């Protein structure tokens, strides 16, 4: 059986419609004026500006259509949707005609039927009639329309000129383009322009000869196309079609779940046949992605069924020995008894765990419970440590809550967008597209980034100001902006006086006004001219609402937390917190960074960011868990490893994490792990860290589990099991069994019961349950009695901490400085097609686009070193070296080089230093002094020394690396 | 390990340098150490300060003095 399709109302929503009010607290800002019309005698009231087609659909009357769909602006090209309107001459197209009060519309008459059949005949005469073998059979709008208009014959015959022999473009690994099936409705072109904002497609030629062309190369793979899939979704025929559907046929069931790749948290329909996923299509109803997707979530999920998956538990006595497969029971017994032994032998603080922001809230919660209630200490940390811990610290200090302030939707209201150290079009593509829509509609843009990211200049968008600062000088730049705002008296006095802690503000003013914080003083430090800094300050302070979006380019610095507080200060200074269209918004790297932090994965905090020293909170947990909780903070990841090197830490449970690959200073990590007596790794693949592990517990991909993820806008969404776990157990079950084997009673029957417990014990989550999430689609915390459907914009009336706090943010230069030996500053980033260290995406056809990491270097720096575009270069820091091919480009400023790190043979942490954020120890990945030199091929020996990936993986061969 | 702790502590000290008075800076540093460092790490640092303390910055030393005060076990 084929699935039911969701209803297409033909043209996009205008204003607000009945039935959508209050959904997730989205109240209409202004009541819209309604217009009442009659469709075939049925009265219907719709918001002003609605099309006749949409009004008809809302009245339950379907008008035939081909070029219209409700995700795109109407176009009026197919002429199939003609209607009759009383008092109007001719036959207007219902998709482009707007309702007027009292309008009387007739959607069917003999005349209309004849006209529509004529249109269809023309289309069909140039369309192959191989419906029964067409991959879209049963899911084709052309077919539906032929049925709708009652097409019975084609008078033109098929002998004339046609496109039936046109060649198929199969270059894209995920979808094909078959011009023979194309009806040139241009829905794909509009999807690429309006939704994705890439402008890759054009209609070439006119009339009968017109043809869809991906530009500039004419072939999808090598064109500008970023493979987001929007055009495929919009195409009414099989002209653009997923290859998986061509191979497997149309899916028969659909389960809604959430993408496990990035902090946008797109919602998808996982469409399956049995337990095989056929395709993932973005969910139109979802407030995080509104029916859009990027190449990762839409297409790159085949890693879940990769042959590299390990599905049996494995144990070995020492890391020199090969792995032995064992039963689950044996593995769990072994883990439990070893942890108990180590704790007895070396004391209560000698064991701990690291959890992952790729895992669900329920999994992260149960891991920290294992540590606090069963291990009986607070040695729990999460990989959010290495990306966004400064966000938690900084925003908590300033506003009182460790989370971004506004929903993604709020960008629609922003009149100024300030992007700092983030690259949304690559890192958070679906939100990047959203931001581009707003920018094309006229919002102003300031970008502060060492590199000229795509957003600075892209089709129909140009940043008003780009501040190409030297890596590591965010705080200097942001202080100078604040200085200029104060100097020109552009601050929002009334807001500050009513909303902020005035004593702290006065102290801050005194500090920021000091001459050392002026744009003139900071210009030589940041490399940005004082006048440019002042222009940015003026623009930011005079346009409201102004929204700040920032990423790892702010947090991964020795002053990461200070940088976050600088942004908070700027937003409060200009009255931009607590309003639609404003705010301070972190773009989180991994999908569940927010959630992992929310549910208590840091050593000093219980769920909901409550410090372990807080008596009352501890009491609650102690009563619920029936154990005493340690009131002192435990070890962070680096502390665990340091303690291991001096023999004080002996056993680690690593859940979904690869410390060797993703944590700073690889040798420090390895030394720490080598000194432990028990390293348990719970993951879906053997990774770099597995070489130092004694136990491997197989995990589940997101398609195999139930739970929730919380995206960067605090939106909690369900993850649903689409196929049974390959290893036989969901991850929370494994952790529960370890707890039980260690003598602690734990009896959840389903992930939803874990969320119920989180809700009981966490005031900001008290209204959350799986049932509510299923009913509403999603909820943004805080969700409690006062906000039963969640809170889209935080700090509306007052800050969570009461008064907003201006912290003093002195600029302290990083210890990492350029020198004669290392004259360039390396900064790092990611690209669209790969995710993090690439463990998943490299195991999918996404590698078609990007097979290696690349180094970007400015022409003048390149010339000085005799380097040409495409050369192999060696990158050397005081920590280590890496080899990669280079691109000579003016995207980076002289003195700065930029590289991606998605491939294991080039580990960032081989180069980066031990420097870290002062407050949270978030590593300083964004600043490393390096030298670059050309290497002459062959370089195989060096690659091997540097790479060390292929060997030592133990019993299971790892393919594809 | 103690070098790491000293460096981390000094870095925390640097942040509080922009505070208007020594006393406020010391209190801020002490509070940070109490909230984010495990007891064993604090002990090691205090021990170092008493033994030698040469590489610790002035504000950090002042903060450690606060930590050793009777309030320590609270
Ligand atoms: S490829 Fe599909 S969407 Fe694009 S013009 Fe052809 S039929 Fe329409
Ligand atoms: S896949 Fe996305 S980027 Fe590529 S042509 Fe289609 S809409 Fe444009
Ligand atoms: S934008 Fe992020 S969440 Fe959305 S599909 Fe892409 S990777 Fe997944
Ligand atoms: S649907 Fe209205 S003209 Fe095509």
């Amino acid at each position: 059986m084929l699935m039911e399709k969701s209803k297409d109302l033909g043209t996009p929503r205008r204003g607000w419609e009945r039935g959508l009010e209050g959904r997730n607290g989205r109240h209409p800002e202004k009541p819209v004026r309604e217009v009442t019309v009659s469709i075939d005698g049925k009265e219907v009231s719709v918001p002003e500006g609605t099309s006749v087609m949409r009004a008809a659909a809302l009245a339950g009357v379907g008008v035939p259509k081909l070029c219209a769909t409700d995700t795109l602006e109407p176009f009026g090209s197919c002429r199939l949707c003609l209607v009759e309107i009383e008092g109007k001459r001719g036959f207007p197209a219902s998709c482009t005609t707007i309702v007027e009060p009292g309008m009387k519309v007739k959607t069917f008459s003999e005349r209309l039927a004849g006209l529509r059949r004529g249109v269809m005949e023309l289309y069909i005469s140039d369309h192959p009639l191989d419906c029964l073998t067409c991959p879209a059979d049963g899911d084709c709008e052309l077919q539906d329309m032929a049925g709708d208009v009652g097409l019975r014959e084609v008078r033109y015959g098929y002998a004339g000129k046609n496109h039936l022999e046109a060649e198929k473009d199969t270059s894209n690994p995920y979808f094909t383009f078959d011009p023979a099936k194309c009806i040139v409705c241009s829905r794909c072109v509009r999807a690429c322009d309006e939704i994705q904002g890439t402008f890759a497609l054009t209609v070439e030629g006119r009339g009968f000869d017109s043809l869809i062309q991906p530009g500039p190369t004419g072939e999808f793979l090598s064109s500008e196309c970023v493979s987001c899939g929007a055009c495929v979704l919009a195409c009414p025929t099989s002209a653009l079609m997923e290859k998986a559907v061509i191979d497997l046929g149309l899916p028969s069931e659909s389960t809604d779940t959430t993408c496990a790749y990035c902090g946008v948290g797109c919602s998808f329909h996982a469409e399956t046949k049995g337990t095989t996923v056929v395709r993932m299509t973005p969910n139109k109803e979802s407030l995080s992605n509104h029916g859009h997707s990027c190449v990762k979530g839409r297409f790159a999920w085949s890693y879940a069924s990769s042959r590299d998956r390990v599905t049996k538990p494995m144990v070995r006595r020492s890391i020199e020995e090969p792995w032995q497969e064992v039963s689950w029971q044996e593995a769990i017994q072994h883990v439990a008894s070893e942890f108990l032994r180590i704790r007895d032998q070396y004391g209560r603080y000698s064991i701990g765990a690291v959890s992952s922001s790729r895992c669900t809230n329920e999994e992260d919660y149960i891991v920290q419970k294992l540590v606090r209630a069963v291990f009986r200490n607070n040695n729990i940390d999460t990989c959010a440590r290495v990306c966004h811990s400064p966000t938690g610290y900084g925003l908590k200090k300033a506003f009182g809550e460790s989370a971004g302030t506004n929903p993604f939707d709020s960008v629609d209201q922003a009149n100024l967008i300030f992007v700092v150290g983030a690259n949304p079009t690559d890192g958070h593509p679906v939100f990047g597209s959203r931001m581009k829509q707003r920018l094309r509609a006229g919002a102003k843009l300031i970008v502060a980034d060492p590199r000229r990211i795509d957003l600075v200049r892209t089709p129909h968008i140009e940043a008003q100001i780009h501040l190409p600062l030297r890596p590591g000088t965010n705080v200097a730049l942001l202080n100078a902006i604040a200085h200029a705002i104060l100097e020109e008296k552009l601050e929002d006095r009334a807001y500050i006086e009513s909303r902020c802690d005035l004593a702290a503000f006065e102290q801050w003013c005194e500090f920021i006004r000091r001459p050392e914080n002026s744009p003139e003083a900071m210009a030589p430090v940041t490399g940005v001219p004082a006048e440019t800094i002042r222009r940015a300050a003026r623009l930011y302070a005079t346009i409201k609402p102004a929204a700040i979006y920032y990423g790892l380019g702010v947090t991964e610095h020795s002053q990461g937390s200070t940088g976050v507080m600088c942004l908070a200060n700027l937003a409060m200074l200009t009255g931009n917190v607590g309003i639609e269209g404003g705010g301070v918004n972190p773009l989180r790297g991994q999908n569940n960074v927010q959630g992992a932090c929310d549910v208590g994965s840091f050593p000093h905090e219980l769920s909901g960011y409550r410090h372990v020293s807080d008596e009352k909170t501890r009491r609650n947990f102690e009563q619920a868990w029936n154990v005493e909780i340690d009131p002192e903070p435990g070890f962070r990841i680096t502390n665990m490893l340091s303690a291991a090197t001096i023999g004080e830490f002996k056993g680690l449970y690593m859940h979904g994490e690869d410390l060797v690959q993703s944590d700073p200073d690889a040798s420090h990590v390895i030394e720490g792990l080598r000194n432990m007596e028990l390293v348990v790794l719970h993951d879906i693949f053997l990774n770099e860290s597995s070489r130092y592990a004694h136990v491997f517990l197989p995990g589940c991909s997101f398609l195999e589990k139930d739970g929730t993820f919380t995206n960067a806008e605090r939106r909690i969404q369900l993850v649903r099991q689409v196929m049974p776990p390959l290893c036989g157990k969901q991850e929370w079950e494994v952790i529960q069994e370890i707890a039980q084997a260690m003598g602690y009673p734990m009896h959840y029957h389903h992930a939803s019961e874990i969320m119920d417990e989180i809700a009981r014990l966490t005031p900001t989550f008290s209204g959350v349950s799986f049932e509510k999430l299923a009913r509403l689609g999603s909820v943004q915390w805080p969700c409690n009695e006062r906000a039963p459907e969640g809170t889209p914009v935080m700090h509306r009336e007052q800050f969570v901490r009461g008064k907003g706090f201006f912290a003093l943010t002195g600029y302290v230069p990083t210890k990492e400085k350029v020198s004669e030996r290392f004259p360039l500053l390396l900064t790092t980033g990611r690209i669209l097609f790969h995710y993090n260290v690439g463990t998943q995406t490299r195991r999918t056809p996404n590698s078609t686009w990007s097979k290696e990491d690349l180094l970007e270097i400015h022409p003048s720096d390149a010339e000085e070193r005799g380097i040409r575009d495409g050369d192999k270069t060696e990158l050397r820091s005081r920590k280590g070296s890496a080899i990669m091919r280079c691109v000579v480009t003016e995207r980076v400023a002289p003195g700065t080089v930029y590289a991606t790190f998605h491939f294991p043979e080039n580990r960032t942490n081989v180069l980066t230093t031990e420097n870290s954020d002062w407050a949270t120890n978030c590593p300083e990945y964004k600043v490393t002094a390096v030298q670059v030199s050309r290497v002459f091929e062959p370089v195989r020996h060096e690659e091997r020394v540097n790479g060390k990936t292929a060997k030592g993986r133990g019993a299971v061969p790892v393919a594809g690396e | 390990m103690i070098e790491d702790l000293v460096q981390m502590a000094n870095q925390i000290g640097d942040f509080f340098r922009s505070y208007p008075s020594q006393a406020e800076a010391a209190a801020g540093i002490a509070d940070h150490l109490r909230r984010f460092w495990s007891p064993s790490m604090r002990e090691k640092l205090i021990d170092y300060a008493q033994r030698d303390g040469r590489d610790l910055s002035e504000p950090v030393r002042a903060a450690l003095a606060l930590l050793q005060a009777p309030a320590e076990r609270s």
Side-chain angles (χ1 to χ4, degrees):
Chain A
M1 256 294 291
L2 295 185
M3 315 167 325
E4 230 177 88
K5 275 180 282 181
S6 75
K7 205 168 170 194
D8 182 350
L9 300 178
T11 65
R13 185 157 64 103
R14 292 283 182 264
W16 149 80
E17 276 153 16
R18 235 177 261 287
L20 286 171
E21 81 255 49
R23 193 167 153 245
N24 286 15
R26 278 187 103 205
H27 298 283
E29 291 291 315
K30 292 178 232 95
V32 280
R33 241 179 315 171
E34 293 214 324
V35 174
T36 304
V37 293
S38 147
I39 312 276
D40 297 337
K42 288 189 206 174
E43 296 257 303
V44 62
S45 295
V46 294
E48 209 173 25
T50 302
S51 71
V52 170
M53 174 180 282
R54 188 175 177 97
L58 288 168
V61 178
V63 179
K65 62 181 184 55
L66 275 175
C67 68
T69 180
D70 59 9
T71 51
L72 299 171
E73 292 302 316
F75 195 55
S77 70
C78 74
R79 312 297 294 167
L80 198 63
C81 66
L82 312 180
V83 290
E84 290 176 19
I85 298 175
E86 213 178 277
K88 280 203 197 295
R89 280 205 312 190
F91 304 94
S94 63
C95 62
T96 49
T97 307
I98 304 301
V99 290
E100 285 162 23
M103 204 179 235
K104 289 199 168 51
V105 180
K106 227 165 115 181
T107 68
F108 187 78
S109 69
E110 295 257 326
R111 283 292 304 276
L112 286 172
L115 286 168
R116 288 179 188 152
R117 267 201 292 268
V119 170
M120 276 313 286
E121 256 185 278
L122 269 175
Y123 275 115
I124 299 296
S125 66
D126 184 25
H127 196 89
L129 293 183
D130 56 356
C131 286
L132 283 182
T133 52
C134 175
D137 186 24
D139 184 21
C140 172
E141 294 182 34
L142 190 67
Q143 216 174 39
D144 296 347
M145 290 308 126
D148 187 307
V149 305
L151 187 72
R152 297 294 173 256
E153 56 170 348
V154 175
R155 285 164 296 172
Y156 309 105
Y158 308 102
K161 191 176 164 204
N162 59 40
H163 297 111
L164 303 185
E165 299 305 319
E167 209 180 314
K168 230 168 148 174
D169 177 351
T170 57
S171 61
N172 183 296
Y174 298 116
F175 60 84
T176 60
F177 173 55
D178 182 356
K181 300 285 171 88
C182 176
I183 58 171
V184 203
C185 64
S186 87
R187 269 156 72 158
C188 53
V189 180
R190 287 176 285 145
C192 193
D193 298 357
E194 292 172 24
I195 302 175
Q196 166 57 25
T198 294
F199 296 83
L201 302 178
T202 47
V203 186
E204 296 292 322
R206 321 186 82 219
F208 182 81
D209 289 322
S210 48
L211 202 63
I212 300 300
Q213 280 258 318
T217 57
E219 173 217 57
F220 270 88
L221 184 66
S222 53
S223 72
E224 317 246 271
C225 167
V226 293
S227 198
C228 71
C231 55
V232 182
L233 196 66
C235 181
T237 69
S238 71
L240 284 162
M241 198 73 200
E242 291 96 349
K243 284 185 176 170
V245 175
I246 298 177
D247 291 344
L248 302 169
L250 287 170
S252 52
E253 291 131 86
S254 167
T255 312
D256 287 356
T257 193
T258 306
C259 176
Y261 274 123
C262 88
V264 180
C266 295
S267 169
F268 280 91
H269 308 299
E271 301 182 4
T272 49
K273 263 179 149 46
T275 56
T276 302
V277 179
V278 177
R279 68 177 166 191
M280 301 274 278
T281 52
N283 182 353
K284 259 194 340 198
E285 302 295 313
S286 159
L287 298 176
S288 46
N289 56 320
H290 297 274
H292 191 35
S293 60
C294 86
V295 61
K296 293 192 285 294
R298 176 93 152 90
F299 296 119
W301 33 265
S302 57
Y303 71 87
S305 45
S306 157
R307 282 211 321 261
D308 302 348
R309 285 281 301 271
V310 183
T311 56
K312 297 257 169 41
M314 301 190 297
V315 171
R316 57 183 173 182
R317 215 160 339 159
S318 82
I319 60 172
E320 278 76 40
E321 287 173 33
W323 288 108
Q324 303 281 322
E325 280 185 7
V326 295
S327 70
W328 268 115
Q329 202 200 353
E330 230 176 297
I332 282 165
Q333 267 314 322
H334 179 75
V335 169
S337 62
E338 277 294 284
F339 274 128
L340 287 172
R341 175 189 65 79
I342 293 172
R343 193 176 60 183
D344 279 350
Q345 197 173 337
Y346 301 97
R348 176 168 162 189
Y349 299 105
S350 60
I351 54 178
V354 177
S355 65
S356 168
S357 36
R358 282 189 285 277
C359 293
T360 63
N361 289 326
E362 292 69 21
E363 287 159 356
D364 285 333
Y365 177 85
I366 195 173
V367 171
Q368 61 94 35
K369 180 171 178 178
L370 176 78
V371 170
R372 299 190 208 273
V374 187
F375 289 7
R376 304 292 306 279
N377 61 42
N378 288 321
N379 292 337
I380 169 71
D381 205 357
T382 161
C383 65
R385 172 71 60 210
V386 301
C387 63
H388 264 289
S389 50
T391 290
Y393 180 87
L395 295 185
K396 176 118 190 164
K397 270 266 140 103
F399 305 149
E401 194 60 273
S402 300
T405 57
N406 287 51
F408 292 145
D409 278 348
S410 143
V411 77
D412 290 346
Q413 260 90 46
N415 287 323
L416 182 122
I417 295 173
F418 186 14
V419 176
V420 191
N423 185 4
T425 51
D426 279 271
H428 304 83
V430 164
F431 179 67
S433 289
R434 203 64 200 286
M435 192 185 264
K436 287 199 286 185
Q437 285 172 15
R438 181 63 202 136
L439 291 168
R440 288 198 303 274
K444 301 278 184 283
L445 173 66
I446 305 173
V447 174
D449 200 290
R451 187 165 161 266
R452 200 181 66 219
I453 56 170
D454 281 346
L455 212 50
V456 174
R457 182 182 285 163
T458 159
H460 306 284
I461 292 170
E462 178 144 23
Q464 272 63 38
I465 300 173
H466 175 213
L467 304 162
L469 74 169
R470 197 161 291 146
T473 62
N474 287 322
V475 171
L477 177 78
L478 298 170
N479 281 344
I481 291 178
H483 180 100
I485 292 176
L486 276 184
E487 207 172 66
E488 303 196 13
K489 299 204 169 45
L490 297 173
E491 75 271 22
D492 186 340
R493 274 277 153 186
Y495 179 92
I496 297 164
E497 274 161 24
S498 68
R499 299 288 305 270
C500 300
D501 177 337
L502 282 180
F505 175 67
E506 291 309 331
Q507 208 175 59
W508 177 79
C509 282
E510 189 276 317
F511 153 79
I512 209 85
R513 280 207 176 96
R514 290 181 206 160
E516 75 247 30
N517 288 323
S518 69
E520 287 67 25
M522 287 308 185
V525 173
T526 59
V528 182
E531 190 38 42
T532 315
I533 299 178
R534 284 185 187 278
R535 273 205 302 133
R538 257 172 245 139
L539 198 66
Y540 175 71
T542 51
I543 299 183
K544 242 178 145 175
I548 292 173
Y549 292 92
Y550 72 93
L552 303 181
V554 170
T555 55
E556 286 180 349
H557 286 286
S558 64
Q559 280 203 291
S561 294
T562 318
V564 173
M565 291 189 274
C566 286
L567 293 172
N569 289 347
L570 279 179
M572 289 190 290
L573 185 65
T574 51
N576 271 309
V577 186
I579 59 171
E580 286 273 351
V584 180
N585 305 290
L587 294 173
R588 309 281 189 160
Q590 306 186 357
N591 54 322
N592 203 32
V593 173
Q594 181 71 54
C597 301
D598 296 342
V599 299
S601 305
F602 285 132
H604 63 282
E605 271 168 352
L606 291 157
S607 68
Y609 304 98
R610 291 163 300 162
H611 200 269
V612 287
S613 66
D614 178 32
E615 246 341 293
K616 216 177 107 231
T617 307
R618 238 176 30 242
R619 271 299 112 69
N620 283 341
F621 279 89
E622 289 177 342
Q623 267 161 21
W625 293 354
N626 224 352
V627 288
E628 203 183 304
I629 292 175
D630 193 333
E632 290 281 4
F635 285 141
R636 295 172 177 173
I637 299 173
T638 48
N639 311 144
M640 293 183 205
L641 295 164
S642 298
T645 56
I646 55 167
E648 291 181 9
F649 189 88
K650 290 287 186 185
L652 178 67
Y653 182 81
M654 232 189 295
H655 188 212
E657 248 313 271
D658 190 354
L659 295 183
V660 174
Q661 173 92 16
S662 58
D663 274 57
D665 202 354
S667 56
H668 172 71
V669 176
I670 292 170
E671 192 193 347
L673 293 178
R674 276 186 174 281
N675 269 294
M676 295 184 197
E677 292 182 9
L678 176 67
V679 175
V680 181
L681 182 68
H682 195 172
D683 209 333
I684 61 176
F685 297 115
L686 283 174
N687 58 26
E688 291 292 304
S689 302
S690 63
R691 290 197 272 142
Y692 308 95
H694 307 89
V695 180
F696 182 87
L697 302 175
C700 305
S701 76
F702 77 112
L703 294 169
E704 295 154 51
K705 58 194 178 194
D706 289 302
T708 56
F709 289 149
T710 308
N711 75 357
E713 37 159 16
R714 292 172 276 108
R715 187 181 303 286
I716 311 165
Q717 299 181 105
L718 286 175
V719 177
R720 291 189 178 91
Q721 185 178 320
V722 174
M723 48 164 123
L726 291 185
C727 66
K729 282 179 201 290
Q730 295 208 3
E731 288 169 27
W732 66 265
E733 294 178 270
V734 175
I735 297 154
Q736 166 158 305
E737 285 171 29
I738 294 172
Q740 285 167 345
M742 289 182 75
Y744 182 87
M746 222 187 246
H747 303 288
Y748 304 107
H749 301 96
H750 188 266
S752 63
E753 294 176 13
I754 303 177
M755 178 51 88
D756 294 340
E757 182 173 315
I758 300 175
R760 270 199 307 280
L761 292 169
T762 318
T764 43
F765 275 65
S766 64
V768 181
S769 68
F770 275 35
E771 179 277 320
K772 186 184 277 184
L773 292 172
R775 185 158 41 86
L776 297 178
S778 67
V779 161
Q780 285 177 281
W781 68 262
C783 172
N784 46 33
E785 260 161 41
R786 291 216 338 268
E789 300 208 335
T791 312
V793 178
M794 287 188 87
H795 317 294
R796 261 198 190 279
E797 269 96 50
Q798 60 164 3
F799 285 99
V800 170
R801 74 185 293 281
K803 296 281 185 190
F805 179 76
F806 281 84
L808 303 183
T809 52
Y811 169 61
V812 182
T814 166
K815 287 197 344 212
E816 187 67 9
K817 289 199 174 62
V818 291
S819 62
E820 222 164 280
R821 268 183 75 208
F822 304 113
L824 300 170
L825 282 181
L826 165 74
T827 187
T828 61
R830 55 159 95 173
I831 59 164
L832 171 68
F833 293 99
H834 288 297
Y835 169 72
N836 203 32
V837 292
T839 317
Q840 289 110 319
T841 43
R842 277 184 290 107
R843 289 181 168 92
T844 70
N846 272 26
S847 305
T848 319
W849 285 274
S850 148
K851 293 183 188 67
E852 57 180 345
D853 289 314
L854 291 172
L855 175 78
E856 291 184 2
I857 184 166
H858 188 271
S860 63
D861 291 328
E863 198 189 322
E864 214 172 279
R865 291 167 177 76
I867 294 171
R868 278 164 320 175
D869 196 66
D871 279 351
K872 267 210 169 176
T873 53
E874 182 183 36
L875 202 58
R876 188 180 283 285
S877 77
R878 66 186 162 87
K879 281 283 168 177
S881 70
I883 296 214
M884 50 180 94
R885 214 167 275 290
C886 82
V887 180
V888 177
T889 167
E890 283 176 359
R891 262 174 185 259
V892 288
T896 301
V897 291
Y898 166 90
T900 57
F901 286 89
H902 294 298
F903 292 83
E905 56 274 24
N906 292 321
R907 296 204 310 252
T908 343
N909 55 1
V910 170
L911 294 170
T912 47
T913 64
E914 68 287 356
N915 294 347
S916 68
D917 174 44
W918 65 271
T920 65
N921 288 141
C922 180
E924 184 165 55
Y925 280 157
K926 297 291 177 183
V927 194
T928 313
V930 293
Q931 177 60 292
V932 177
S933 55
R934 176 154 176 221
V935 295
F936 294 89
E937 296 172 72
V939 284
R940 247 183 251 122
H941 171 68
E942 276 148 288
E943 269 180 320
R944 195 149 23 89
V945 172
N946 186 34
K948 4 175 196 177
T949 38
K951 19 171 211 176
R953 283 305 185 78
V956 180
V958 181
E961 285 201 351
Chain B
M1 180 172 183
I2 189 67
E3 301 86 59
D4 295 345
L5 296 181
V6 169
Q7 200 211 317
M8 281 159 58
N10 285 341
Q11 233 188 320
I12 295 168
D14 285 342
F15 172 78
F16 287 95
R17 267 181 208 281
S18 35
Y19 274 54
S21 75
Q22 286 270 342
E24 274 174 86
I29 299 167
D31 182 57
H32 190 92
L33 294 177
R34 212 179 279 128
R35 291 180 75 80
F36 297 100
W37 282 34
S38 75
S40 66
M41 289 161 63
R42 291 197 303 256
E43 272 158 33
K44 286 201 176 70
L45 197 66
I46 290 172
D47 183 55
Y48 167 78
Q50 286 168 342
R51 244 185 24 245
D52 172 346
R54 209 173 336 151
D55 294 333
L56 289 170
S57 69
E58 194 44 52
V60 174
R61 249 175 285 167
L64 291 179
L66 288 181
L67 277 185
Q68 289 165 69
E72 193 199 333
R73 280 279 143 210
S74 73

